[in-house]
Short mmCIF file of all heavy atoms in Angstrom, two decimals:
data_model
loop_
_atom_site.label_atom_id
_atom_site.label_comp_id
_atom_site.label_asym_id
_atom_site.label_seq_id
_atom_site.Cartn_x
_atom_site.Cartn_y
_atom_site.Cartn_z
N VAL A 508 96.02 95.86 112.02
CA VAL A 508 95.59 94.80 111.27
C VAL A 508 95.39 95.15 109.85
O VAL A 508 95.63 94.28 108.95
CB VAL A 508 94.10 94.39 111.79
CG1 VAL A 508 93.37 93.46 110.73
CG2 VAL A 508 94.12 93.89 113.09
N THR A 509 95.21 96.51 109.45
CA THR A 509 94.88 96.80 108.18
C THR A 509 96.17 96.68 107.15
O THR A 509 95.93 96.44 105.95
CB THR A 509 94.46 98.20 108.08
OG1 THR A 509 93.89 98.52 106.79
CG2 THR A 509 95.54 99.29 108.36
N PRO A 510 97.44 96.63 107.72
CA PRO A 510 98.51 96.36 106.67
C PRO A 510 98.50 94.93 106.28
O PRO A 510 99.38 94.63 105.40
CB PRO A 510 99.72 96.78 107.52
CG PRO A 510 99.29 97.73 108.57
CD PRO A 510 97.91 97.28 108.93
N ARG A 511 97.74 94.12 106.78
CA ARG A 511 97.50 92.67 106.30
C ARG A 511 97.09 92.78 104.64
O ARG A 511 96.91 91.88 104.18
CB ARG A 511 96.42 92.01 106.87
CG ARG A 511 96.66 91.76 108.39
CD ARG A 511 97.45 90.38 108.73
NE ARG A 511 98.67 90.45 108.12
CZ ARG A 511 99.74 91.01 108.61
NH1 ARG A 511 99.56 91.80 109.74
NH2 ARG A 511 100.92 90.99 108.11
N THR A 512 97.09 94.05 104.21
CA THR A 512 96.80 94.40 102.80
C THR A 512 95.29 94.91 102.64
O THR A 512 94.78 94.88 101.61
CB THR A 512 97.05 93.37 101.66
OG1 THR A 512 96.10 92.35 101.78
CG2 THR A 512 98.44 92.79 101.97
N ALA A 513 94.70 95.37 103.71
CA ALA A 513 93.24 95.67 103.59
C ALA A 513 93.12 97.19 103.10
O ALA A 513 92.24 97.50 102.38
CB ALA A 513 92.55 95.67 104.99
N GLY A 514 94.00 98.18 103.62
CA GLY A 514 94.03 99.43 103.19
C GLY A 514 92.81 100.33 103.67
O GLY A 514 92.44 101.38 103.11
N ILE A 515 92.28 100.06 104.99
CA ILE A 515 91.33 101.01 105.49
C ILE A 515 92.02 101.70 106.78
O ILE A 515 93.00 101.19 107.30
CB ILE A 515 90.09 100.29 106.00
CG1 ILE A 515 90.38 99.17 107.04
CG2 ILE A 515 89.31 99.64 104.85
CD1 ILE A 515 89.27 98.45 107.67
N ASN A 516 91.41 102.80 107.13
CA ASN A 516 92.17 103.50 108.31
C ASN A 516 91.08 104.32 109.03
O ASN A 516 90.07 104.64 108.45
CB ASN A 516 93.18 104.57 107.70
CG ASN A 516 92.70 105.51 106.82
OD1 ASN A 516 92.24 105.31 105.68
ND2 ASN A 516 92.39 106.78 107.20
N SER A 517 91.29 104.43 110.32
CA SER A 517 90.38 105.14 111.16
C SER A 517 91.03 106.43 111.73
O SER A 517 90.41 107.11 112.51
CB SER A 517 89.87 104.13 112.40
OG SER A 517 91.10 103.89 113.12
N VAL A 518 92.33 106.66 111.43
CA VAL A 518 93.04 107.95 111.85
C VAL A 518 93.57 108.50 110.48
O VAL A 518 93.85 107.81 109.55
CB VAL A 518 94.16 107.58 112.89
CG1 VAL A 518 93.37 107.22 114.18
CG2 VAL A 518 95.20 106.55 112.33
N ASP A 519 94.09 109.71 110.66
CA ASP A 519 94.72 110.39 109.54
C ASP A 519 96.19 109.88 109.41
O ASP A 519 96.93 110.15 110.30
CB ASP A 519 94.66 111.96 109.74
CG ASP A 519 95.31 112.79 108.65
OD1 ASP A 519 95.69 112.10 107.46
OD2 ASP A 519 95.49 113.97 108.67
N LEU A 520 96.57 109.13 108.25
CA LEU A 520 97.75 108.64 108.16
C LEU A 520 98.89 109.63 107.93
O LEU A 520 100.03 109.47 108.29
CB LEU A 520 97.76 107.60 106.96
CG LEU A 520 96.79 106.40 107.09
CD1 LEU A 520 97.02 105.47 105.88
CD2 LEU A 520 97.08 105.62 108.29
N THR A 521 98.46 110.86 107.35
CA THR A 521 99.50 111.80 107.20
C THR A 521 99.96 112.40 108.41
O THR A 521 100.97 113.07 108.51
CB THR A 521 98.95 112.93 106.22
OG1 THR A 521 97.82 113.41 106.82
CG2 THR A 521 98.58 112.35 104.88
N ALA A 522 99.20 112.30 109.52
CA ALA A 522 99.47 112.86 110.82
C ALA A 522 100.39 111.81 111.56
O ALA A 522 100.85 112.31 112.72
CB ALA A 522 98.19 113.29 111.63
N LEU A 523 100.50 110.67 111.26
CA LEU A 523 101.39 109.72 111.93
C LEU A 523 102.77 110.15 111.99
O LEU A 523 103.30 110.85 110.91
CB LEU A 523 101.35 108.31 111.24
CG LEU A 523 99.94 107.56 111.27
CD1 LEU A 523 99.98 106.34 110.46
CD2 LEU A 523 99.55 107.22 112.74
N HIS A 524 103.50 109.75 112.99
CA HIS A 524 104.99 110.03 113.06
C HIS A 524 105.59 109.24 111.92
O HIS A 524 105.08 108.23 111.58
CB HIS A 524 105.51 109.69 114.39
CG HIS A 524 105.08 110.53 115.56
ND1 HIS A 524 105.22 111.95 115.48
CD2 HIS A 524 104.47 110.16 116.71
CE1 HIS A 524 104.66 112.47 116.61
NE2 HIS A 524 104.25 111.48 117.37
N HIS A 525 106.76 109.79 111.38
CA HIS A 525 107.53 109.00 110.34
C HIS A 525 107.88 107.61 110.95
O HIS A 525 107.92 106.58 110.03
CB HIS A 525 108.79 109.66 109.98
CG HIS A 525 108.57 111.05 109.25
ND1 HIS A 525 107.42 111.07 108.23
CD2 HIS A 525 109.21 112.09 109.06
CE1 HIS A 525 107.48 112.16 107.65
NE2 HIS A 525 108.44 112.85 108.09
N SER A 526 108.14 107.34 112.15
CA SER A 526 108.51 105.98 112.72
C SER A 526 107.32 105.11 112.51
O SER A 526 107.51 103.87 112.16
CB SER A 526 108.95 106.11 114.15
OG SER A 526 108.01 106.92 114.92
N THR A 527 106.10 105.64 112.70
CA THR A 527 104.96 104.73 112.66
C THR A 527 104.65 104.45 111.20
O THR A 527 104.31 103.37 110.79
CB THR A 527 103.73 105.41 113.28
OG1 THR A 527 104.02 105.91 114.63
CG2 THR A 527 102.50 104.52 113.34
N GLN A 528 104.73 105.55 110.33
CA GLN A 528 104.52 105.17 109.00
C GLN A 528 105.50 104.17 108.45
O GLN A 528 105.15 103.37 107.60
CB GLN A 528 104.79 106.57 108.09
CG GLN A 528 103.70 107.56 108.38
CD GLN A 528 104.02 108.98 107.71
OE1 GLN A 528 105.17 109.14 107.28
NE2 GLN A 528 102.97 109.83 107.80
N PHE A 529 106.78 104.18 108.94
CA PHE A 529 107.75 103.18 108.47
C PHE A 529 107.40 101.89 108.96
O PHE A 529 107.70 100.90 108.25
CB PHE A 529 109.15 103.63 108.89
CG PHE A 529 110.24 102.88 108.21
CD1 PHE A 529 110.68 103.20 106.83
CD2 PHE A 529 110.97 101.76 108.74
CE1 PHE A 529 111.68 102.55 106.26
CE2 PHE A 529 111.98 101.17 108.10
CZ PHE A 529 112.17 101.41 106.92
N MET A 530 106.87 101.80 110.24
CA MET A 530 106.34 100.45 110.63
C MET A 530 105.30 99.99 109.81
O MET A 530 105.33 98.72 109.56
CB MET A 530 105.89 100.65 112.12
CG MET A 530 105.38 99.34 112.81
SD MET A 530 106.80 98.13 112.88
CE MET A 530 105.93 96.73 113.35
N LEU A 531 104.35 100.81 109.49
CA LEU A 531 103.31 100.16 108.56
C LEU A 531 103.77 99.90 107.21
O LEU A 531 103.30 98.89 106.72
CB LEU A 531 102.24 101.41 108.38
CG LEU A 531 101.44 101.84 109.50
CD1 LEU A 531 100.48 103.01 109.29
CD2 LEU A 531 100.67 100.64 110.09
N LEU A 532 104.78 100.52 106.71
CA LEU A 532 105.44 100.32 105.52
C LEU A 532 106.03 98.86 105.54
O LEU A 532 105.83 98.00 104.67
CB LEU A 532 106.56 101.24 105.25
CG LEU A 532 107.17 101.33 103.81
CD1 LEU A 532 107.53 102.72 103.46
CD2 LEU A 532 108.31 100.39 103.76
N ILE A 533 106.74 98.55 106.59
CA ILE A 533 107.22 97.15 106.72
C ILE A 533 106.06 96.15 106.86
O ILE A 533 106.20 95.05 106.14
CB ILE A 533 108.05 97.01 107.93
CG1 ILE A 533 109.36 97.88 107.99
CG2 ILE A 533 108.53 95.56 108.35
CD1 ILE A 533 110.13 98.00 109.18
N LEU A 534 105.04 96.35 107.50
CA LEU A 534 103.96 95.43 107.70
C LEU A 534 103.29 95.18 106.28
O LEU A 534 102.86 94.17 105.97
CB LEU A 534 102.98 95.84 108.73
CG LEU A 534 103.41 95.93 110.18
CD1 LEU A 534 102.31 96.47 111.03
CD2 LEU A 534 103.86 94.52 110.62
N MET A 535 103.13 96.31 105.60
CA MET A 535 102.54 96.20 104.18
C MET A 535 103.50 95.42 103.27
O MET A 535 102.89 94.55 102.47
CB MET A 535 102.30 97.65 103.62
CG MET A 535 101.36 98.40 104.25
SD MET A 535 100.82 99.94 103.23
CE MET A 535 102.48 100.93 103.35
N PHE A 536 104.73 95.60 103.35
CA PHE A 536 105.67 94.80 102.49
C PHE A 536 105.55 93.21 102.80
O PHE A 536 105.40 92.43 101.93
CB PHE A 536 107.13 95.23 102.84
CG PHE A 536 108.13 94.58 101.83
CD1 PHE A 536 108.20 94.86 100.58
CD2 PHE A 536 108.92 93.51 102.36
CE1 PHE A 536 109.17 94.31 99.78
CE2 PHE A 536 109.85 92.96 101.66
CZ PHE A 536 109.94 93.27 100.27
N ILE A 537 105.32 92.86 104.10
CA ILE A 537 105.18 91.53 104.46
C ILE A 537 103.77 91.01 103.91
O ILE A 537 103.70 89.90 103.30
CB ILE A 537 105.24 91.26 105.94
CG1 ILE A 537 106.59 91.62 106.37
CG2 ILE A 537 104.91 89.86 106.28
CD1 ILE A 537 106.78 91.61 107.88
N GLY A 538 102.69 91.79 104.26
CA GLY A 538 101.35 91.42 103.71
C GLY A 538 100.71 90.28 104.33
O GLY A 538 100.83 90.00 105.49
N ALA A 539 99.91 89.57 103.51
CA ALA A 539 99.00 88.54 103.99
C ALA A 539 99.68 87.21 103.94
O ALA A 539 100.89 87.08 103.87
CB ALA A 539 97.63 88.56 103.32
N SER A 540 98.91 86.14 103.80
CA SER A 540 99.37 84.78 103.69
C SER A 540 99.01 84.14 102.41
O SER A 540 98.28 84.65 101.58
CB SER A 540 98.75 84.03 104.88
OG SER A 540 99.16 84.44 106.10
N PRO A 541 99.83 83.05 101.87
CA PRO A 541 99.58 82.43 100.65
C PRO A 541 98.17 81.95 100.46
O PRO A 541 97.54 81.61 101.40
CB PRO A 541 100.58 81.25 100.72
CG PRO A 541 101.59 81.69 101.69
CD PRO A 541 100.99 82.47 102.71
N GLY A 542 97.67 81.95 99.16
CA GLY A 542 96.28 81.58 98.98
C GLY A 542 95.21 82.37 99.65
O GLY A 542 94.14 81.88 99.77
N SER A 543 95.52 83.63 99.88
CA SER A 543 94.59 84.56 100.50
C SER A 543 94.15 85.37 99.53
O SER A 543 94.57 85.47 98.34
CB SER A 543 95.23 85.23 101.65
OG SER A 543 96.12 86.06 101.39
N THR A 544 93.34 86.56 99.95
CA THR A 544 92.93 87.59 99.13
C THR A 544 93.87 88.86 99.10
O THR A 544 93.63 89.80 98.41
CB THR A 544 91.46 88.12 99.47
OG1 THR A 544 91.64 88.53 100.89
CG2 THR A 544 90.47 87.09 99.36
N GLY A 545 94.96 88.65 99.92
CA GLY A 545 95.96 89.70 100.13
C GLY A 545 97.19 89.55 99.25
O GLY A 545 97.33 88.61 98.59
N GLY A 546 98.10 90.59 99.42
CA GLY A 546 99.43 90.56 98.58
C GLY A 546 100.60 90.56 99.58
O GLY A 546 100.58 90.15 100.60
N GLY A 547 101.75 91.24 99.14
CA GLY A 547 102.90 91.26 99.83
C GLY A 547 103.68 90.09 99.53
O GLY A 547 103.35 89.25 98.82
N ILE A 548 104.85 90.08 100.34
CA ILE A 548 105.84 88.86 100.03
C ILE A 548 105.25 87.56 100.77
O ILE A 548 105.63 86.59 100.61
CB ILE A 548 107.17 89.16 100.67
CG1 ILE A 548 107.09 89.43 102.18
CG2 ILE A 548 107.83 90.34 99.78
CD1 ILE A 548 108.51 89.45 102.90
N LYS A 549 104.15 87.77 101.60
CA LYS A 549 103.44 86.80 102.35
C LYS A 549 104.13 86.43 103.71
O LYS A 549 105.41 86.66 103.86
CB LYS A 549 103.37 85.49 101.61
CG LYS A 549 102.59 85.62 100.15
CD LYS A 549 101.12 86.20 100.46
CE LYS A 549 100.40 86.20 99.25
NZ LYS A 549 100.87 87.08 98.14
N THR A 550 103.42 86.12 104.77
CA THR A 550 103.83 85.89 106.05
C THR A 550 104.78 84.76 106.16
O THR A 550 105.74 84.70 107.00
CB THR A 550 102.57 85.65 107.01
OG1 THR A 550 101.73 84.63 106.46
CG2 THR A 550 101.82 86.93 107.26
N THR A 551 104.48 83.62 105.30
CA THR A 551 105.33 82.49 105.41
C THR A 551 106.74 82.74 104.89
O THR A 551 107.64 82.21 105.25
CB THR A 551 104.66 81.32 104.52
OG1 THR A 551 104.27 81.87 103.41
CG2 THR A 551 103.44 80.77 105.35
N THR A 552 106.81 83.66 103.77
CA THR A 552 108.09 84.07 103.23
C THR A 552 108.95 84.70 104.24
O THR A 552 110.14 84.53 104.43
CB THR A 552 107.86 84.92 101.86
OG1 THR A 552 107.09 84.25 100.91
CG2 THR A 552 109.08 85.30 101.24
N PHE A 553 108.33 85.58 104.93
CA PHE A 553 108.95 86.42 106.05
C PHE A 553 109.43 85.31 107.19
O PHE A 553 110.50 85.52 107.62
CB PHE A 553 107.99 87.45 106.62
CG PHE A 553 108.43 88.06 107.90
CD1 PHE A 553 109.49 89.07 107.89
CD2 PHE A 553 107.84 87.79 109.23
CE1 PHE A 553 109.93 89.63 109.28
CE2 PHE A 553 108.27 88.28 110.33
CZ PHE A 553 109.35 89.26 110.28
N ALA A 554 108.55 84.46 107.59
CA ALA A 554 108.86 83.51 108.62
C ALA A 554 109.95 82.62 108.28
O ALA A 554 110.95 82.34 109.03
CB ALA A 554 107.67 82.80 109.02
#
Side-chain angles (χ1 to χ4, degrees):
V508 170
T509 196
R511 297 268 67 75
T512 78
I515 60 174
N516 60 284
S517 58
V518 297
D519 182 7
L520 299 183
T521 60
L523 294 172
H524 293 306
H525 285 329
S526 53
T527 310
Q528 291 174 351
F529 195 75
M530 182 65 194
L531 293 180
L532 191 149
I533 294 171
L534 294 175
M535 290 191 299
F536 184 77
I537 296 171
S540 302
S543 71
T544 58
I548 63 170
K549 303 297 189 294
T550 52
T551 50
T552 303
F553 171 74

